[in-house]
Amino acid sequence: MEKLLKIDKKIIYSLLIFFLILPMFLPLNIPLSISSNTKAVYDYIEALPAGSKVLLALDLAVTSRAELSGQIFAIAEHCVMKNHKIYMVALWDAGPMFGEQVVDAFPQLTYGEDIVNLGYTAGGETGVAFIASNILNAYPVDYRGNQTKDLPMMKEIGDINTMDFIYCFGAGSPGPREWIRQVVTNYQTPFAAGVLTTSAAEYAPYVQAGQMVGVLGGLRGGAEYELLIGKPGASLAKMDSESIGHLYIIALIVIGNIGYFATKKNKK
Amino acid sequence: MKRQVPLLITLLVGVIVFLSGVMTLKIGFFDLKTVSSTMTGWGTLVSAFAAFIAAMSLVLVHVKRIQAVKKNPMAVINSLALLISMGLMAVLGIAGQLTQGRPLPLFVLIFNNVINPAGAAIFAMLGFFITSASYRAFRARSLEATILLVSALLIMLGRIPVGEQLWSQFPALADWLSNVPNAAAQRGILIGAAVGAIATSVRTILGFERGHLN
């Protein structure tokens, strides 16, 4: 029984890799239910009139891209399906690069009329406050070097109230909290966020207080949204691996505790 | 003067930005909201320069390591790799901005095919550490540890699709844990942190807190 407490790390890691890769070759297609948070965000974007202005804040780094990219493209796809105008900003330096990937993913959109990548703003929470006070002042040029006042979709843009909805893809700080403090509190602009799975629980008070429409957690949030818009993608494909990986970790925890209690009993 | 001027600037900017959030004031050409917005813009400029200083600091640290090659020869390889890759991306980025106002195709290629996968790999390593740590640390040694263990298991089973197939109530249990005890605790922490932030901000604006001057 003591051996249960001393499983070699090489075995643990090898089995983890095996269980994560296995569903990629043998898909299990485990059914996925939709959470109330994801449904709330979907319903809100769905209900916005066509041509609404949606601000996507790409506040993430390359390390978080794998977990949040499914949400990014799913939310953007939904906006495209509803003919919403997409404005992308970033408080993290890598954000605009992801913005360019979003622009490239929808070649049917006209840059400057349907979608724009405004770029990075330094300053964290101060940057959010600056963007909120006047978006054109914060971005005299966009990420591609165009004068924003010459872009058709920027003609009627003033402060953050000209946006109909804000969605923040947040991997830390600055992120959703800064948007809530500076924008939701002062301007009451409707707001939702997609965050890492480990951070999703931290935003429950904001959702319950009505400051957020909803919060999507990591890979699962992206998978649920892909199901809702009817466009299964990378996030949904990875859910089987996530299921089996988690089951493996639970099994290890149970094995560890069995070994612990058996050893404790033997010592007595 | 050395300390008085920065303290005066802190007081002036702090009061103006604070007041612009709670009132509207327009006297002639003076519009409180416009002044506050301008000052906020200055803040983003200062932050951009701070990022530049951080980059320079990083370069200096690694140049010193290369100069101290006799002390630690192996560290030189890592420092050289960092400086070369940092320099390459900086040159490509600046060249792109100067020539066409946007990143060069090579910059985008390196970002998409080198930096993105490398970042994902670094984050993926966490999964292995968490697996090993969970196996070794999650033991029901005490009542509190047992509560933590059971909560963690319920949340994990509630958040994965296979958990719902094992028992249909796992998601509901996980949601209850997240929306009731967790939200209550998070709310307490948020409010406590916010009260602390208000106290520190008032002290900083009034000049009692001077840590930002060092």
Short mmCIF file of all heavy atoms in Angstrom, two decimals, chain A residues 246 249-261, chain B residues 130-131 133-158 170 177:
data_model
loop_
_atom_site.label_atom_id
_atom_site.label_comp_id
_atom_site.label_asym_id
_atom_site.label_seq_id
_atom_site.Cartn_x
_atom_site.Cartn_y
_atom_site.Cartn_z
N HIS A 246 -9.00 15.17 -16.50
CA HIS A 246 -9.51 15.44 -15.15
C HIS A 246 -9.83 14.15 -14.41
O HIS A 246 -9.57 14.02 -13.20
CB HIS A 246 -10.79 16.30 -15.23
CG HIS A 246 -10.52 17.76 -15.32
ND1 HIS A 246 -9.94 18.36 -16.41
CD2 HIS A 246 -10.72 18.76 -14.43
CE1 HIS A 246 -9.83 19.65 -16.20
NE2 HIS A 246 -10.28 19.93 -15.00
N ILE A 249 -6.69 12.75 -13.05
CA ILE A 249 -6.22 13.46 -11.85
C ILE A 249 -7.04 13.05 -10.64
O ILE A 249 -6.51 12.83 -9.55
CB ILE A 249 -6.27 14.99 -12.07
CG1 ILE A 249 -5.25 15.40 -13.13
CG2 ILE A 249 -6.00 15.74 -10.77
CD1 ILE A 249 -5.33 16.85 -13.55
N ILE A 250 -8.36 12.91 -10.83
CA ILE A 250 -9.23 12.48 -9.72
C ILE A 250 -8.82 11.09 -9.26
O ILE A 250 -8.74 10.80 -8.06
CB ILE A 250 -10.72 12.51 -10.15
CG1 ILE A 250 -11.18 13.96 -10.33
CG2 ILE A 250 -11.60 11.79 -9.14
CD1 ILE A 250 -12.53 14.10 -11.01
N ALA A 251 -8.54 10.20 -10.22
CA ALA A 251 -8.12 8.84 -9.87
C ALA A 251 -6.82 8.87 -9.07
O ALA A 251 -6.66 8.13 -8.08
CB ALA A 251 -7.94 8.01 -11.15
N LEU A 252 -5.88 9.73 -9.47
CA LEU A 252 -4.60 9.85 -8.75
C LEU A 252 -4.84 10.33 -7.32
O LEU A 252 -4.21 9.84 -6.37
CB LEU A 252 -3.67 10.82 -9.46
CG LEU A 252 -2.87 10.28 -10.65
CD1 LEU A 252 -2.07 11.41 -11.27
CD2 LEU A 252 -1.97 9.14 -10.23
N ILE A 253 -5.74 11.31 -7.17
CA ILE A 253 -6.04 11.84 -5.83
C ILE A 253 -6.62 10.73 -4.96
O ILE A 253 -6.25 10.56 -3.78
CB ILE A 253 -7.01 13.04 -5.91
CG1 ILE A 253 -6.31 14.23 -6.59
CG2 ILE A 253 -7.52 13.45 -4.55
CD1 ILE A 253 -7.24 15.39 -6.92
N VAL A 254 -7.54 9.95 -5.53
CA VAL A 254 -8.17 8.85 -4.77
C VAL A 254 -7.12 7.81 -4.39
O VAL A 254 -7.07 7.34 -3.24
CB VAL A 254 -9.32 8.23 -5.60
CG1 VAL A 254 -9.81 6.95 -4.95
CG2 VAL A 254 -10.47 9.22 -5.75
N ILE A 255 -6.26 7.45 -5.35
CA ILE A 255 -5.20 6.47 -5.09
C ILE A 255 -4.28 6.97 -3.98
O ILE A 255 -3.91 6.22 -3.05
CB ILE A 255 -4.39 6.18 -6.37
CG1 ILE A 255 -5.24 5.37 -7.36
CG2 ILE A 255 -3.10 5.42 -6.07
CD1 ILE A 255 -4.65 5.26 -8.75
N GLY A 256 -3.93 8.24 -4.06
CA GLY A 256 -3.05 8.83 -3.05
C GLY A 256 -3.67 8.75 -1.66
O GLY A 256 -2.99 8.44 -0.67
N ASN A 257 -4.98 9.04 -1.57
CA ASN A 257 -5.65 9.00 -0.27
C ASN A 257 -5.82 7.58 0.25
O ASN A 257 -5.72 7.34 1.47
CB ASN A 257 -7.01 9.71 -0.36
CG ASN A 257 -6.88 11.21 -0.22
OD1 ASN A 257 -6.78 11.73 0.90
ND2 ASN A 257 -6.84 11.92 -1.33
N ILE A 258 -6.07 6.62 -0.66
CA ILE A 258 -6.15 5.21 -0.23
C ILE A 258 -4.82 4.79 0.38
O ILE A 258 -4.76 4.18 1.45
CB ILE A 258 -6.53 4.30 -1.41
CG1 ILE A 258 -7.97 4.56 -1.85
CG2 ILE A 258 -6.36 2.82 -1.04
CD1 ILE A 258 -8.37 3.86 -3.13
N GLY A 259 -3.74 5.13 -0.32
CA GLY A 259 -2.39 4.81 0.18
C GLY A 259 -2.12 5.48 1.51
O GLY A 259 -1.57 4.87 2.44
N TYR A 260 -2.56 6.73 1.66
CA TYR A 260 -2.32 7.50 2.89
C TYR A 260 -3.03 6.86 4.08
O TYR A 260 -2.42 6.62 5.13
CB TYR A 260 -2.79 8.94 2.68
CG TYR A 260 -2.84 9.77 3.94
CD1 TYR A 260 -1.68 10.19 4.58
CD2 TYR A 260 -4.07 10.15 4.49
CE1 TYR A 260 -1.73 10.94 5.73
CE2 TYR A 260 -4.12 10.91 5.64
CZ TYR A 260 -2.96 11.31 6.26
OH TYR A 260 -3.02 12.06 7.41
N PHE A 261 -4.33 6.53 3.89
CA PHE A 261 -5.09 5.96 5.01
C PHE A 261 -4.63 4.54 5.33
O PHE A 261 -4.58 4.13 6.51
CB PHE A 261 -6.60 5.98 4.70
CG PHE A 261 -7.21 7.32 4.90
CD1 PHE A 261 -7.66 8.08 3.82
CD2 PHE A 261 -7.34 7.88 6.17
CE1 PHE A 261 -8.21 9.34 4.01
CE2 PHE A 261 -7.87 9.15 6.36
CZ PHE A 261 -8.31 9.87 5.27
N ILE B 130 0.55 20.43 -11.82
CA ILE B 130 -0.69 20.35 -11.04
C ILE B 130 -1.07 18.90 -10.81
O ILE B 130 -1.54 18.53 -9.72
CB ILE B 130 -1.82 21.13 -11.76
CG1 ILE B 130 -1.58 22.62 -11.60
CG2 ILE B 130 -3.20 20.75 -11.23
CD1 ILE B 130 -2.46 23.48 -12.45
N THR B 131 -0.88 18.06 -11.82
CA THR B 131 -1.19 16.63 -11.66
C THR B 131 -0.36 16.02 -10.54
O THR B 131 -0.89 15.36 -9.64
CB THR B 131 -0.93 15.88 -12.98
OG1 THR B 131 -1.67 16.50 -14.02
CG2 THR B 131 -1.33 14.42 -12.86
N ALA B 133 1.28 17.61 -8.17
CA ALA B 133 1.01 18.26 -6.89
C ALA B 133 -0.30 17.77 -6.30
O ALA B 133 -0.41 17.57 -5.08
CB ALA B 133 0.97 19.77 -7.08
N SER B 134 -1.31 17.58 -7.14
CA SER B 134 -2.61 17.09 -6.66
C SER B 134 -2.47 15.70 -6.05
O SER B 134 -3.02 15.41 -4.99
CB SER B 134 -3.63 17.01 -7.81
OG SER B 134 -3.82 18.26 -8.38
N TYR B 135 -1.70 14.86 -6.73
CA TYR B 135 -1.49 13.49 -6.23
C TYR B 135 -0.79 13.51 -4.88
O TYR B 135 -1.13 12.76 -3.96
CB TYR B 135 -0.69 12.70 -7.27
CG TYR B 135 -0.07 11.43 -6.76
CD1 TYR B 135 -0.85 10.36 -6.36
CD2 TYR B 135 1.32 11.30 -6.68
CE1 TYR B 135 -0.29 9.20 -5.88
CE2 TYR B 135 1.88 10.14 -6.21
CZ TYR B 135 1.09 9.08 -5.81
OH TYR B 135 1.66 7.94 -5.34
N ARG B 136 0.17 14.42 -4.72
CA ARG B 136 0.97 14.41 -3.47
C ARG B 136 0.34 15.24 -2.37
O ARG B 136 0.53 14.94 -1.18
CB ARG B 136 2.37 14.95 -3.77
CG ARG B 136 3.22 13.96 -4.47
CD ARG B 136 4.55 14.56 -4.95
NE ARG B 136 4.97 13.94 -6.18
CZ ARG B 136 5.33 12.67 -6.31
NH1 ARG B 136 5.35 11.88 -5.26
NH2 ARG B 136 5.67 12.17 -7.48
N ALA B 137 -0.40 16.28 -2.70
CA ALA B 137 -0.84 17.22 -1.65
C ALA B 137 -2.28 17.04 -1.21
O ALA B 137 -2.62 17.36 -0.07
CB ALA B 137 -0.65 18.65 -2.14
N PHE B 138 -3.15 16.55 -2.10
CA PHE B 138 -4.56 16.44 -1.73
C PHE B 138 -4.78 15.21 -0.84
O PHE B 138 -5.16 14.15 -1.31
CB PHE B 138 -5.43 16.33 -2.98
CG PHE B 138 -5.93 17.65 -3.48
CD1 PHE B 138 -5.74 18.02 -4.79
CD2 PHE B 138 -6.62 18.53 -2.65
CE1 PHE B 138 -6.20 19.24 -5.26
CE2 PHE B 138 -7.07 19.74 -3.10
CZ PHE B 138 -6.86 20.09 -4.42
N ARG B 139 -4.55 15.38 0.45
CA ARG B 139 -4.74 14.31 1.42
C ARG B 139 -5.76 14.78 2.45
O ARG B 139 -5.73 15.92 2.88
CB ARG B 139 -3.43 13.99 2.15
CG ARG B 139 -2.31 13.55 1.25
CD ARG B 139 -2.34 12.06 1.02
NE ARG B 139 -1.11 11.64 0.37
CZ ARG B 139 -0.94 11.55 -0.94
NH1 ARG B 139 -1.94 11.82 -1.75
NH2 ARG B 139 0.20 11.16 -1.45
N ALA B 140 -6.64 13.85 2.85
CA ALA B 140 -7.64 14.19 3.86
C ALA B 140 -7.03 14.06 5.25
O ALA B 140 -7.38 13.19 6.04
CB ALA B 140 -8.85 13.26 3.71
N ARG B 141 -6.07 14.95 5.55
CA ARG B 141 -5.34 14.86 6.82
C ARG B 141 -6.13 15.44 7.97
O ARG B 141 -5.92 15.08 9.13
CB ARG B 141 -4.01 15.63 6.71
CG ARG B 141 -3.01 14.96 5.82
CD ARG B 141 -1.63 15.59 6.00
NE ARG B 141 -0.69 14.92 5.11
CZ ARG B 141 -0.38 15.32 3.89
NH1 ARG B 141 -0.92 16.43 3.42
NH2 ARG B 141 0.47 14.65 3.14
N SER B 142 -7.02 16.40 7.68
CA SER B 142 -7.78 17.06 8.74
C SER B 142 -9.17 17.36 8.18
O SER B 142 -9.43 17.11 7.00
CB SER B 142 -7.09 18.36 9.16
OG SER B 142 -7.02 19.23 8.05
N LEU B 143 -10.05 17.94 9.04
CA LEU B 143 -11.40 18.26 8.59
C LEU B 143 -11.35 19.29 7.46
O LEU B 143 -12.02 19.15 6.42
CB LEU B 143 -12.23 18.81 9.77
CG LEU B 143 -13.64 19.28 9.43
CD1 LEU B 143 -14.48 18.11 8.93
CD2 LEU B 143 -14.30 19.92 10.66
N GLU B 144 -10.50 20.35 7.66
CA GLU B 144 -10.41 21.40 6.63
C GLU B 144 -9.88 20.85 5.32
O GLU B 144 -10.38 21.17 4.24
CB GLU B 144 -9.50 22.54 7.13
CG GLU B 144 -10.04 23.36 8.30
CD GLU B 144 -9.78 22.72 9.63
OE1 GLU B 144 -9.11 21.65 9.69
OE2 GLU B 144 -10.25 23.26 10.65
N ALA B 145 -8.85 19.97 5.43
CA ALA B 145 -8.27 19.39 4.21
C ALA B 145 -9.30 18.50 3.51
O ALA B 145 -9.35 18.46 2.28
CB ALA B 145 -7.03 18.57 4.57
N THR B 146 -10.13 17.81 4.29
CA THR B 146 -11.16 16.95 3.69
C THR B 146 -12.20 17.79 2.97
O THR B 146 -12.64 17.44 1.86
CB THR B 146 -11.85 16.10 4.79
OG1 THR B 146 -10.85 15.41 5.54
CG2 THR B 146 -12.80 15.08 4.17
N ILE B 147 -12.61 18.91 3.59
CA ILE B 147 -13.58 19.80 2.94
C ILE B 147 -13.01 20.33 1.63
O ILE B 147 -13.68 20.36 0.59
CB ILE B 147 -13.97 20.97 3.88
CG1 ILE B 147 -14.75 20.45 5.09
CG2 ILE B 147 -14.79 22.02 3.13
CD1 ILE B 147 -15.00 21.49 6.17
N LEU B 148 -11.73 20.73 1.69
CA LEU B 148 -11.07 21.23 0.47
C LEU B 148 -11.03 20.15 -0.60
O LEU B 148 -11.34 20.39 -1.77
CB LEU B 148 -9.65 21.69 0.82
CG LEU B 148 -8.79 22.17 -0.35
CD1 LEU B 148 -9.34 23.44 -0.96
CD2 LEU B 148 -7.34 22.41 0.11
N LEU B 149 -10.68 18.93 -0.19
CA LEU B 149 -10.56 17.81 -1.13
C LEU B 149 -11.91 17.50 -1.77
O LEU B 149 -12.01 17.39 -3.00
CB LEU B 149 -10.03 16.58 -0.37
CG LEU B 149 -9.98 15.25 -1.13
CD1 LEU B 149 -8.99 15.36 -2.27
CD2 LEU B 149 -9.56 14.13 -0.19
N VAL B 150 -12.96 17.40 -0.94
CA VAL B 150 -14.29 17.06 -1.47
C VAL B 150 -14.78 18.17 -2.41
O VAL B 150 -15.33 17.90 -3.48
CB VAL B 150 -15.28 16.83 -0.31
CG1 VAL B 150 -16.70 16.72 -0.81
CG2 VAL B 150 -14.90 15.56 0.47
N SER B 151 -14.57 19.44 -2.00
CA SER B 151 -14.99 20.57 -2.85
C SER B 151 -14.28 20.52 -4.19
O SER B 151 -14.90 20.70 -5.25
CB SER B 151 -14.67 21.91 -2.16
OG SER B 151 -15.27 21.97 -0.90
N ALA B 152 -12.96 20.27 -4.14
CA ALA B 152 -12.19 20.23 -5.39
C ALA B 152 -12.69 19.11 -6.30
O ALA B 152 -12.86 19.30 -7.51
CB ALA B 152 -10.71 20.02 -5.08
N LEU B 153 -12.97 17.95 -5.71
CA LEU B 153 -13.46 16.82 -6.52
C LEU B 153 -14.82 17.13 -7.12
O LEU B 153 -15.08 16.85 -8.30
CB LEU B 153 -13.54 15.55 -5.65
CG LEU B 153 -12.22 14.93 -5.25
CD1 LEU B 153 -12.43 13.73 -4.34
CD2 LEU B 153 -11.40 14.52 -6.46
N LEU B 154 -15.70 17.76 -6.32
CA LEU B 154 -17.04 18.09 -6.83
C LEU B 154 -16.96 19.11 -7.96
O LEU B 154 -17.66 19.00 -8.98
CB LEU B 154 -17.92 18.63 -5.70
CG LEU B 154 -18.43 17.59 -4.70
CD1 LEU B 154 -19.18 18.26 -3.55
CD2 LEU B 154 -19.35 16.58 -5.39
N ILE B 155 -16.10 20.12 -7.79
CA ILE B 155 -15.96 21.15 -8.83
C ILE B 155 -15.41 20.51 -10.10
O ILE B 155 -15.90 20.77 -11.21
CB ILE B 155 -15.03 22.29 -8.36
CG1 ILE B 155 -15.70 23.10 -7.25
CG2 ILE B 155 -14.65 23.18 -9.53
CD1 ILE B 155 -16.76 24.08 -7.71
N MET B 156 -14.39 19.66 -9.95
CA MET B 156 -13.80 19.03 -11.14
C MET B 156 -14.83 18.16 -11.85
O MET B 156 -14.98 18.23 -13.06
CB MET B 156 -12.59 18.18 -10.74
CG MET B 156 -11.37 19.01 -10.41
SD MET B 156 -10.04 18.04 -9.73
CE MET B 156 -9.44 17.21 -11.17
N LEU B 157 -15.58 17.36 -11.08
CA LEU B 157 -16.57 16.48 -11.72
C LEU B 157 -17.73 17.29 -12.30
O LEU B 157 -18.35 16.88 -13.28
CB LEU B 157 -17.10 15.47 -10.68
CG LEU B 157 -16.12 14.35 -10.34
CD1 LEU B 157 -16.57 13.61 -9.09
CD2 LEU B 157 -15.98 13.38 -11.50
N GLY B 158 -18.01 18.44 -11.70
CA GLY B 158 -19.11 19.26 -12.21
C GLY B 158 -18.77 20.03 -13.46
O GLY B 158 -19.65 20.45 -14.21
N PHE B 170 -23.97 16.53 -10.65
CA PHE B 170 -22.63 17.10 -10.39
C PHE B 170 -22.54 18.56 -10.84
O PHE B 170 -22.01 19.40 -10.10
CB PHE B 170 -21.55 16.26 -11.09
CG PHE B 170 -21.06 15.10 -10.29
CD1 PHE B 170 -20.90 13.84 -10.86
CD2 PHE B 170 -20.75 15.24 -8.94
CE1 PHE B 170 -20.44 12.77 -10.12
CE2 PHE B 170 -20.31 14.16 -8.19
CZ PHE B 170 -20.16 12.92 -8.78
N LEU B 177 -21.64 25.38 -5.26
CA LEU B 177 -20.38 25.69 -4.57
C LEU B 177 -19.78 27.00 -5.06
O LEU B 177 -19.26 27.80 -4.28
CB LEU B 177 -19.36 24.56 -4.81
CG LEU B 177 -19.45 23.37 -3.87
CD1 LEU B 177 -18.59 22.23 -4.37
CD2 LEU B 177 -19.03 23.75 -2.45
#
